[in-house]
Each structure stands twice: as structure tokens, then as C-alpha cells.
């Protein structure tokens, strides 16, 4: 099963950057899952990190990244949203096409 996850990590410390970098580095270094599943896409931006791939690989990478920052002594809050499908994370949304599909309210 393919999944897409959006993650936001909130370190509970003024020195937040090392925890965020360690978390993202661990996601980037994630090995394949025992069943051979892989992370297909990893996108990092200023607001969140998105992963798309095989469920076991995505879950394993998130668990490993959270364990790494916890074992390093960082206190963090991780907010995750999951979709049970693969999204084309690197593809921009075509808002002009979406506007053409909208009907005026009340019709």
C-alpha cells in the first residue's frame, strides 16, 4: 500500500534547529523496509515535510527519525497527517483548471 504523510516537527526548546535537521536527515537516510518497500518522494519546505512511498518504509522512517531525536535528548512534538494513497508531491496544483470546475454557489 502506498501512503503520503505530511509531518511537522515542533521542538520544545529555543535551540530547535539541531532537532529538525537530525529528524530530516534520518528520513533522508532511511533504508528500504524489510519487505523491500521504499520512500519514493521526500519534499522538505519551510512549513512541513512530505513523504510518499510504501507504507512500511514511510512508517519505519518516521519511527526511526523520532527515535533519533528522542535518544539525542530533544523534546519534540510531531504532528502527522496520512493519506492512504500516493500524491504527486512534486507536481504543482493547477488552480486555473480547478477554478474551471467550480460552479457558482446555489446552482
Amino acid at each position: 500500500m502506498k501512503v503520503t504523510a505530511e509531518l511537522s516537527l515542533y521542538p520544545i526548546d529555543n535551540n530547535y534547529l539541531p532537532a529538525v535537521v537530525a529528524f530530516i536527515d534520518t528520513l533522508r537516510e532511511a533504508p528500504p523496509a524489510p519487505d523491500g518497500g521504499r520512500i519514493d518522494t521526500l519534499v522538505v519546505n519551510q512549513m512541513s515535510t512530505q513523504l510518499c512511498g510504501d507504507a512500511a518504509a514511510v512508517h519505519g522512517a518516521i519511527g526511526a527519525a523520532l527515535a533519533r531525536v528522542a535518544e539525542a535528548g530533544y523534546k519534540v512534538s510531531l504532528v502527522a497527517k496520512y493519506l492512504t494513497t500516493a500524491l504527486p508531491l512534486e507536481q504543482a496544483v493547477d488552480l486555473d483548471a480547478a477554478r474551471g470546475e467550480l460552479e457558482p454557489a446555489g446552482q
Side-chain angles (χ1 to χ4, degrees):
M1 172 177 72
K2 295 285 187 178
V3 297
T4 303
E6 181 176 46
L7 310 171
S8 296
L9 186 77
Y10 300 99
I12 304 171
D13 190 345
N14 289 335
N15 187 21
Y16 62 89
L17 198 53
V20 172
V21 170
F23 186 83
I24 293 170
D25 283 349
T26 305
L27 294 175
R28 286 189 170 137
E29 298 161 1
D35 66 0
R38 297 185 164 276
I39 294 173
D40 300 322
T41 310
L42 176 76
V43 176
V44 178
N45 62 48
Q46 294 85 350
M47 298 280 294
S48 64
T49 300
Q50 294 97 26
L51 298 104
C52 182
D54 296 298
V58 170
H59 295 144
I62 294 169
L66 190 57
R68 179 178 178 186
V69 298
E71 289 166 3
Y74 299 113
K75 293 178 179 68
V76 300
S77 172
L78 174 64
V79 177
K81 294 187 282 186
Y82 283 91
L83 295 172
T84 57
T85 189
L87 290 181
L89 296 175
E90 295 174 333
Q91 178 181 334
V93 174
D94 184 350
L95 291 178
D96 291 330
R99 283 186 194 96
E101 296 175 13
L102 296 177
E103 294 182 20
Q107 295 205 5

